[in-house]
Amino acid sequence: MKDHRFGIMMNHRSGKLDSCRTLTGFVMVLILFIAASPAKAQTAAVPYQLDVPSVVLNDTPFEIVVSGKAIDSVSTYRLHVREKTYPLVYSAETHTLTAEVELAQSGAADIILTENGATITQTETRSIPGWLSIWPPIIAIGLALVFKRVVPALFLGVWAGAWIAAGLSFSGLWYGLLESFGTYVLSAMATESHVSIILFSLMIGGMVGIIRKNGGTHGIVEKMIEWASTPTRGQFSTTVLGIVIFFDDYANTLIVGNTMRSITDKLRISREKLAYIVDSTSAPVASLALVTTWIGFEVGLINDALATIGGLELSGYGVFLESILYRFYPWLALFFVFAITFTDREYGPMWKAEHRARTTGKVIGDDAQVDEAAVDGKELEPKEGKPVRAMNAVVPVAVLVFGVLYFLYTTGLEAAGPDASIREIIGAANSYTALMWGSILSVITAAVMSMAQRILTLEETVEAWYSGLKSMLFAMIVLVLAWALSSTTEVLHTAEFLGAVLSDAIPPGLVPAIIFILAALISFATGTSWGTMGILMPLTVPLTWSIMQANGIADPEHYYILYNAVSAVLAGAVFGDHCSPISDTTILSSMASGCDHIAHVNTQLPYAVSVGAVGLLLGTIPTGFGFPWWLSMLICAPLLVAILWYFGKPVEAEPETVKV
């Protein structure tokens, strides 16, 4: 999911943290150097301005806007491009001239404005073949698949886009490298809305660090495990605990796995089953809850993608809320965990693991490779000799949740008016302000409670906050690079080209399903949901909208296609991540549960594929064509139970051939 954030949390992390600090310091120095460098010399102000895209696509019309105080009619002005004169249209409302231009050949093109035959201003654009515009995301996706590292893949994608924009030459390659960092990455970090998302995510990570250190999360755990006394109750308690710790998938995985392991061992629940429950209630819960460490990342990507579509008045947070309804895989993955728990039926390798544990007491296989010293979870333990109280986690999290909801309502009410519906109010709310205010209040609450009870000193509170903050570093790097890649695809008109090519080839209703499959493949190969979202989301939103426009359905009545497509990015990413043996949360789930990693992958894979196939075929595809999402959910849920009942059998049964 968040890829190398896992490495930061391992036992031998000190060297990696030092490297991260060194790299971060180097990056910040470079940014400051660029910011302090003398600005490029500007041309003298002229009374006329030509608003022209820096890059255009061959055989694709684009608009040129001429503005200036002296413009009051169209009769004396002419626009010349490559020895061709284009008619200008005058707007009395904006006092501007516009012309629609189309270039057939690649290369630089001078744009010249004349008045009574005399040149009064000119500029330049570059025309490129449309297929070149898709190379930056292709390079990013391809390198991520080959090298299984999302950060260099994203950066090289940005570099490729900057090179194409600067001109495919040796000098353009060098200038593109400088521009990819000095322009695209820097602008991604300098945007106010982007900084808001980064700050919110960091504050959430800091709050999680404090409530883990002050014993709050362990207090919740202790309350939960008092009730567990049978295998069914033990699995149910583990599942509920995974849902309760909803605000971060890593915190969920490590806390639930390390804490419940001793309980499930006593109840003869296999480590494979524990790892499955832990893995299936981490990312799905974090991706569905309204306030988690995922939200800032998702909303930032969605909002940035929406900004590339002119005239579409939708907020990133509003689209995020609507997309939750179409996230079939996360919803059904959670449902399937409960179905297995209460039916006490298993199939595939999981049945063998559970039968072994129930009949022999061996919670791990004889050939399992497990380093028990690596799963002690000492880093999660609160301070010795200090009280462990659930309220120290419940109160800060409640402040976060209700604070964000309150500020969403107040800012939305101010923007939408007193007569607006709740959906309109939330959609019009300033989500950045709400998330930032709620997150800082939760941090302050956690810190004050920790120090007021003398559980943590001021220094220890700051250290805990800083440790939680550092855990978000990799996610923020991915987010910034994703924003930068989005900027290059916008400059190169990637979505416009893909929309034109695919609009006749792909029915709009199938777009979400195709996106789901693509996201699953990328996530499986790279092991990172966040990296997958960072690569795909900047393309998904404008591409889906372009296809909708080409088919004449770009209207509120068909917004469900856009919501479904956005949800497919995340749902497909989580699905691929659950199937991937190199996923960080898959590895974390194995480690925290004390389970052999390959055994966890093998036992979880049939369940993940079952849920993914049902969600795709009976959820994503039909709802893409207008089928009600709630009806798809009602069909998918009993079908999964039927699959479990047909292929599975009670774990207490005598060994025999298991249906697969």
Side-chain angles (χ1 to χ4, degrees), residues 179-258:
E179 286 287 285
S180 61
F181 189 76
T183 298
Y184 294 102
V185 173
L186 181 60
S187 62
M189 296 184 67
T191 304
E192 182 178 354
S193 60
H194 292 177
V195 174
S196 299
I197 294 299
I198 292 173
L199 290 176
F200 161 73
S201 300
L202 293 177
M203 289 304 102
I204 291 290
M207 185 270 289
V208 171
I210 295 175
I211 65 175
R212 287 172 60 188
K213 186 63 178 178
N214 69 16
T217 51
H218 281 70
I220 295 177
V221 168
E222 288 186 352
K223 298 294 183 182
M224 293 294 300
I225 62 178
E226 293 176 356
W227 181 73
S229 59
T230 65
T232 298
R233 286 190 173 190
Q235 294 178 64
F236 178 75
S237 297
T238 305
T239 305
V240 171
L241 183 59
I243 295 175
V244 169
I245 304 178
F246 64 88
F247 42 82
D248 182 73
D249 57 327
Y250 280 5
N252 179 306
T253 299
L254 293 171
I255 293 171
V256 177
N258 279 291

Side-chain angles (χ1 to χ4, degrees), residues 291-355:
V291 182
T292 71
T293 53
W294 289 54
I295 303 309
F297 186 84
E298 291 181 64
V299 173
L301 291 175
I302 296 171
N303 214 57
D304 209 56
L306 289 171
T308 65
I309 304 176
L312 182 59
E313 297 181 358
L314 290 175
S315 71
Y317 203 85
V319 172
F320 160 75
L321 292 176
E322 294 285 354
S323 71
I324 291 177
L325 303 176
Y326 297 91
R327 298 184 181 186
F328 293 99
Y329 180 78
W331 284 116
L332 295 175
L334 289 172
F335 170 81
F336 204 51
V337 173
F338 281 108
I340 291 173
T341 297
F342 288 112
T343 60
D344 203 24
R345 300 176 75 89
E346 312 284 350
Y347 60 88
M350 187 67 81
W351 181 88
K352 297 178 181 179
E354 279 292 88
H355 182 78

Side-chain angles (χ1 to χ4, degrees), residues 511-523 536 568 572 575 616 621:
V511 171
I514 293 173
I515 292 172
F516 176 89
I517 295 172
L518 182 59
L521 292 174
I522 296 173
S523 182
L536 283 185
F575 168 57
L616 174 65
I621 291 179

Side-chain angles (χ1 to χ4, degrees), residues 18 149 278 556 607 636:
D18 290 339
R149 293 292 182 267
V278 167
Y607 291 171
C636 290

